[in-house]
C-alpha cells in the first residue's frame, strides 16, 4: 500500500479549537434562529369561514359546491383544460386528480374566523360562537371529518380589540380541551400584527395558557398575518417581520400575506388591489427573506374575484385565480387563501399541473445528482439545488399531485431517500397516494 503523501501546514494545531471558542455564540445563535424547514406537510391553501357560518359539514359542503361548479361550467377534462390553458397531456390527469381531491379532502386547512369576516358582535354572542366552534371542531376531529389543519383567526393585539381576542382564544382552547387533547393540526392566526412587541405578547399569552391548562411548554404556536406596512418596514428602517419571528421565541409557524389590508395601507386603488401588484411583491419578498431558514412557512393572500354567475364570469374568475396560484408557486409561495368554494378547482388544478409539469425535469436532475453526474447533461446542480429538487417532489407527493411509484420510477429514489436529500426527518407513516386514499386525518403524521 502506498503511503499517503505528507503535506505541510503552518498553523498550530490549537487553531480549530480557538475558532470554535470564538464562534460558539454565533454557532448557537444560527442553530436557534435558523433551524431549517420543519420537514412536515404544508397545506396548499387556507380556507377562511366566518365563525357564525362554520358547520360540521363545511369542508364537505365546499367540496360538493366546487364539484357542482365544475359540472356546470366545465364538464369534462378537455373543457376544464381549455378554460385554464392547460396542455393536452395534463388535461386528464389534472382533472382526475382535482375531482378525486374534492371528494376525498376538499379543504386542507380551515380557519374559523373571528376577525374581519366575523366583525364586531355583542360579547355574549362571540362567547357562544367561540365555544360552539370548538365543540364542532372537536367533534369533527373525533369522527375523522376535520381537515388535516384547522383553527381560528382571533382578533388582533391592537388596543380596541385585544381583550376580545384574548377572551375568544381562551374560550376556544378551553372548550377544545374539555373534549380531549388539542388536535395535532391546530392552527392559530394573529392578524394585523405591526410591532414585534405584539408577536411577543401573543407568545406570552400562549405561555400563560399552557401553564394554566397544564400543557407542555411550546404546545401552542401561531401564524402572523402581514397586513400593515409597519410589519414590513418599521419606523426605524428595519424589517419588522424579521423582528417578529425572533420576538415570538420559536412560536411562529407561518407568515400570511393579507392582500387587501396591505394594499389599502399602501394607497393602492381598489381596482388594482391584487396579490400580483408590485407593492405585494415587495412585501412578500421581504417576508420571504425574513423567514428563510427559520422554519416559518409562507402563505400568499387571496383574490376577491369570485367564480359566480354566468359561465363567462366563472371562467374569467377561474383563469385569474389559476394564474395567481401558478405565479405564487413559481415564487415559492406554496400556500394561499381561498375565499369561495369555486376557488378549490383552480387551486388544485394549478398546484397539480405545476408539480406534474415539473416532475420529469426535477426527477432527472435529482437522479443525475444522486448518481454523481458531472454536468455533461447540461446542468451541474449543487447540494442546495438537490435539496430544492427533492423538496419539490415531496411537496408534489404531499398534496396528491404525484404518486410515490411514479416519483420513484422517474428519480430512482424512494421517499426515505428524498427526505434525506431534502433535510427532512423521515415520517414513520407516509401519507397514502391519492389513488388509494380513502378518508384519513393526515394531521396525525404532520
Amino acid at each position: 500500500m502506498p503511503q499517503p503523501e505528507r503535506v505541510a501546514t503552518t498553523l498550530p494545531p490549537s487553531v480549530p479549537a480557538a475558532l470554535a471558542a470564538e464562534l460558539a455564540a454565533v454557532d448557537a445563535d444560527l442553530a436557534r434562529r435558523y433551524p431549517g424547514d420543519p420537514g412536515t406537510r404544508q397545506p396548499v391553501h387556507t380556507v377562511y369561514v366566518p365563525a357564525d357560518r362554520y358547520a360540521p359539514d363545511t369542508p364537505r359542503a365546499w367540496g360538493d359546491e366546487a364539484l357542482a361548479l365544475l359540472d356546470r361550467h366545465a364538464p369534462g377534462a378537455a373543457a376544464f383544460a381549455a378554460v385554464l390553458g392547460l396542455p393536452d397531456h395534463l388535461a386528464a390527469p389534472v382533472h382526475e386528480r382535482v375531482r378525486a381531491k374534492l371528494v376525498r379532502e376538499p379543504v386542507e386547512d380551515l380557519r374559523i374566523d373571528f376577525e374581519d369576516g366575523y366583525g364586531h358582535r355583542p360579547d355574549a354572542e362571540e362567547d357562544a360562537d367561540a365555544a360552539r366552534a370548538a365543540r364542532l371542531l372537536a367533534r369533527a376531529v373525533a369522527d375523522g371529518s376535520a381537515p388535516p389543519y384547522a383553527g381560528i383567526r382571533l382578533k388582533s393585539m391592537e388596543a380596541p380589540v385585544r381583550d376580545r381576542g384574548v377572551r375568544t382564544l381562551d374560550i376556544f382552547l378551553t372548550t377544545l380541551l374539555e373534549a380531549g387533547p388539542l388536535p395535532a393540526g391546530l392552527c392559530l392566526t394573529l392578524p394585523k400584527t405591526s410591532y414585534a412587541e405584539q408577536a411577543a405578547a401573543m407568545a406570552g399569552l400562549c405561555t400563560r395558557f399552557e401553564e394554566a391548562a397544564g400543557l407542555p411548554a411550546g404546545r401552542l404556536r401561531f401564524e402572523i398575518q402581514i397586513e400593515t406596512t409597519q410589519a414590513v418596514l418599521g419606523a426605524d428602517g428595519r424589517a419588522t417581520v424579521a423582528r417578529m419571528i425572533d420576538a415570538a421565541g420559536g412560536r411562529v409557524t407561518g407568515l400570511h400575506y393579507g392582500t387587501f389590508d396591505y394594499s389599502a395601507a399602501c394607497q393602492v386603488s381598489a381596482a388594482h388591489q391584487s396579490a400580483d401588484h408590485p407593492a405585494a411583491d415587495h412585501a412578500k419578498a421581504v417576508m420571504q427573506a425574513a423567514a428563510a431558514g427559520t422554519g416559518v412557512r409562507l402563505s400568499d393572500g387571496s383574490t376577491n374575484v369570485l367564480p359566480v354567475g354566468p359561465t363567462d364570469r366563472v371562467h374569467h374568475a377561474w383563469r385569474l385565480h389559476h394564474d395567481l396560484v401558478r405565479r405564487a408557486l413559481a415564487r415559492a409561495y406554496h400556500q394561499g387563501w381561498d375565499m369561495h368554494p369555486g376557488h378549490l378547482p383552480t387551486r388544485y388544478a394549478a398546484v397539480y399541473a405545476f408539480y406534474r409539469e415539473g416532475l420529469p425535469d426535477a426527477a432527472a436532475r435529482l437522479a443525475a445528482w444522486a448518481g454523481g453526474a458531472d454536468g455533461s447533461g447540461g446542468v451541474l446542480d449543487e447540494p442546495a439545488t438537490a435539496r430544492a429538487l427533492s423538496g419539490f417532489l415531496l411537496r408534489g407527493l404531499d398534496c396528491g399531485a404525484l404518486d410515490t411509484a411514479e416519483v420513484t420510477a422517474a428519480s430512482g429514489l424512494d421517499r426515505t431517500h428524498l427526505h434525506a436529500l431534502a433535510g427532512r426527518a423521515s415520517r414513520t407513516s407516509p401519507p397514502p397516494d391519492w389513488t388509494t386514499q380513502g378518508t384519513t386525518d393526515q394531521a396525525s403524521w404532520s
Side-chain angles (χ1 to χ4, degrees):
M1 292 289 292
Q3 295 297 314
E5 181 183 354
R6 293 187 61 185
V7 294
T9 61
T10 301
L11 295 173
S14 59
V15 168
L19 286 174
E22 289 175 21
L23 295 174
V26 171
D27 293 341
D29 200 51
L30 283 170
R32 178 181 68 84
R33 295 176 188 268
Y34 303 103
D37 189 88
T40 55
R41 175 190 184 187
Q42 180 180 6
V44 302
H45 71 168
T46 300
V47 164
Y48 278 72
V49 177
D52 58 319
R53 300 181 199 169
Y54 171 58
D57 66 344
T58 292
R60 182 66 269 140
W62 274 55
D64 291 343
E65 185 170 344
L67 286 166
L69 282 169
L70 267 179
D71 291 339
R72 188 180 313 129
H73 298 290
F80 192 46
V83 172
L84 304 182
L86 298 179
D88 291 344
H89 72 280
L90 288 178
V94 167
H95 183 260
E96 185 178 0
R97 279 170 163 76
V98 168
R99 292 194 67 91
K101 181 72 167 179
L102 294 175
V103 170
R104 170 175 58 84
E105 188 185 71
V107 175
E108 292 193 359
D109 185 22
L110 175 67
R111 208 66 75 250
I112 304 164
D113 189 24
F114 286 90
E115 206 235 351
D116 283 350
Y118 180 77
H120 298 283
R121 311 288 181 95
D123 283 340
E125 184 177 348
E126 184 158 341
D127 284 356
D129 282 338
R132 170 183 166 276
R135 287 192 296 269
L136 293 179
L137 179 58
R139 190 183 310 162
V141 170
D143 67 21
S145 63
Y149 303 91
I152 66 167
R153 177 169 72 167
L154 58 150
K155 290 178 170 64
S156 74
M157 283 290 169
E158 294 177 342
V161 295
R162 182 187 306 138
D163 292 350
R164 181 62 259 181
V166 170
R167 180 171 174 82
T168 296
L169 178 63
D170 188 1
I171 292 170
F172 178 78
L173 293 176
T174 299
T175 308
L176 265 184
L177 283 170
E178 289 174 352
L182 294 178
L186 177 66
C187 300
L188 306 174
T189 306
L190 181 68
K192 296 182 176 60
T193 310
S194 300
Y195 281 70
E197 291 81 359
Q198 293 171 324
M202 180 66 179
L205 178 61
C206 291
T207 298
R208 291 185 180 96
F209 189 92
E210 288 167 351
E211 292 173 348
L215 295 173
R219 173 62 184 88
L220 298 177
R221 304 179 73 193
F222 60 94
E223 306 159 335
I224 292 175
Q225 283 196 272
I226 304 303
E227 301 179 89
T228 69
T229 56
Q230 294 88 353
V232 174
L233 185 66
D236 57 2
R238 298 164 68 187
T240 310
V241 63
R243 296 180 58 222
M244 289 175 182
I245 294 172
D246 190 54
R251 289 190 185 266
V252 176
T253 59
L255 301 175
H256 289 228
Y257 176 68
T259 304
F260 302 102
D261 283 273
Y262 190 87
S263 297
C266 290
Q267 304 297 308
V268 177
S269 61
H272 297 282
Q273 292 179 357
S274 176
D276 61 354
H277 190 277
D281 284 341
H282 171 259
K284 288 183 284 188
V286 174
M287 292 164 60
Q288 192 170 47
T294 65
V296 175
R297 263 76 180 270
L298 301 172
S299 176
D300 202 355
S302 61
T303 176
N304 59 0
V305 180
L306 304 183
V308 296
T311 295
D312 60 338
R313 285 180 55 188
V314 171
H315 286 182
H316 168 73
W318 272 350
R319 282 189 291 269
L320 174 65
H321 184 243
H322 172 271
D323 291 350
L324 288 172
V325 174
R326 176 79 185 204
R327 184 179 190 271
L329 289 168
R331 286 158 175 76
Y333 268 72
H334 304 289
Q335 186 175 353
W337 294 8
D338 287 328
M339 310 301 288
H340 186 273
H343 288 146
L344 299 185
T346 40
R347 168 69 61 183
Y348 293 124
V351 170
Y352 291 174
F354 180 77
Y355 289 109
R356 296 202 65 78
E357 281 181 1
L359 170 62
D361 181 66
R365 289 173 64 180
L366 197 56
W369 188 90
D374 58 4
S376 58
V379 179
L380 182 60
D381 287 318
E382 297 187 0
T385 306
R387 286 196 297 273
L389 290 167
S390 53
F392 175 90
L393 296 177
L394 285 168
R395 286 183 181 277
L397 289 167
D398 286 346
C399 70
L402 307 175
D403 304 336
T404 301
E406 66 180 338
V407 169
T408 300
S411 68
L413 302 169
D414 61 18
R415 184 181 284 271
T416 300
H417 289 108
L418 291 174
H419 275 273
L421 288 173
R424 291 187 179 190
S426 292
R427 296 188 181 114
T428 55
S429 67
D433 288 337
W434 74 277
T435 49
T436 59
Q437 170 72 0
T439 301
T440 65
D441 179 9
Q442 292 189 341
S444 62
W445 49 261
S446 62

